[in-house]
């Protein structure tokens, strides 16, 4: 997997208040648009597990 360009959600519109994502080597990188110097790196499997848990409501009790 090679490095790709940062992508942001189409739901964010023209604002810079969103999370951006890209692939880099064998990882997935995430950052907040207005804090571009901070990057979270994870594996595709770990990110997929997190997104599955969010969709399933596993973290709703933390609100």
């Amino acid at each position: 997997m090679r490095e790709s360009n940062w992508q942001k959600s189409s739901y964010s519109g023209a604002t810079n208040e969103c999370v951006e994502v890209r692939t880099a080597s064998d990882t997935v990188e995430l950052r907040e648009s207005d804090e571009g110097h901070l990057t979270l790196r994870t594996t595709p499997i770990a990110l997929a597990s997190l997104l599955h848990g969010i969709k399933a409501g596993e973290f709703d009790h933390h609100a």
Side-chain angles (χ1 to χ4, degrees), residues 6-54:
W6 289 103
Q7 296 180 348
K8 68 178 186 174
S9 171
S10 59
Y11 289 108
S12 64
T15 68
N16 282 336
E17 299 174 1
C18 63
V19 173
E20 297 176 319
V21 64
R22 74 174 178 182
T23 58
S25 299
D26 294 331
T27 63
V28 177
E29 295 183 338
L30 303 151
R31 72 179 183 184
E32 191 172 339
S33 295
D34 60 351
E35 293 288 337
H37 62 284
L38 300 174
T39 304
L40 171 69
R41 290 178 185 89
T42 189
T43 65
I45 292 172
L47 180 60
S49 295
L50 174 65
L51 294 175
H52 178 75
I54 291 169

